[in-house]
Amino acid sequence: MHKTLRIIYGMLKHNKPFDPEIDRKNRLNKDRQPATAPDKSRRYQDYDSKAPVSGRQARKRKERKATLSGSTASVASLAQAPT
């Protein structure tokens, strides 16, 4: 059905009668096009502290920051303990 609709749309848009050669050419061109892999370099963006974040993400960052600062404080207290 989709193929039929594409053919009818093309005929109406270009105001031309049906030509099966056009469909054959399109199918051949589609097969020749190499499949492009998604650009993996765009998956992760650079961290920007000024970028807007959701409330959930803000809470997660706040918890992570508290956890990291708490763990460094305990490590610092262990380092200052007398031996």
Side-chain angles (χ1 to χ4, degrees):
M1 187 164 118
H2 183 258
K3 181 179 177 180
T4 306
L5 289 174
R6 284 187 308 141
I7 291 171
I8 292 171
Y9 177 76
M11 289 169 48
L12 292 173
K13 181 179 178 182
H14 299 291
N15 199 18
K16 292 184 179 181
F18 175 70
D19 184 9
E21 275 304 306
I22 293 174
D23 187 49
R24 287 188 194 113
K25 286 180 192 176
N26 289 337
R27 280 190 278 159
L28 288 174
N29 289 337
K30 186 177 180 181
D31 292 339
R32 289 183 194 168
Q33 294 174 352
T36 57
D39 187 9
K40 301 229 181 215
S41 65
R42 293 190 44 86
R43 181 176 171 119
Y44 300 105
Q45 297 177 352
D46 294 334
Y47 178 74
D48 183 10
S49 61
K50 296 178 184 177
V53 294
S54 65
R56 173 190 262 177
Q57 189 63 37
R59 284 192 301 276
K60 285 183 177 183
R61 289 181 182 182
K62 188 175 180 181
E63 290 172 3
R64 188 179 314 135
K65 188 175 182 180
T67 304
L68 291 175
S69 64
S71 64
T72 55
S74 63
V75 170
S77 64
L78 288 175
Q80 295 173 357
T83 53

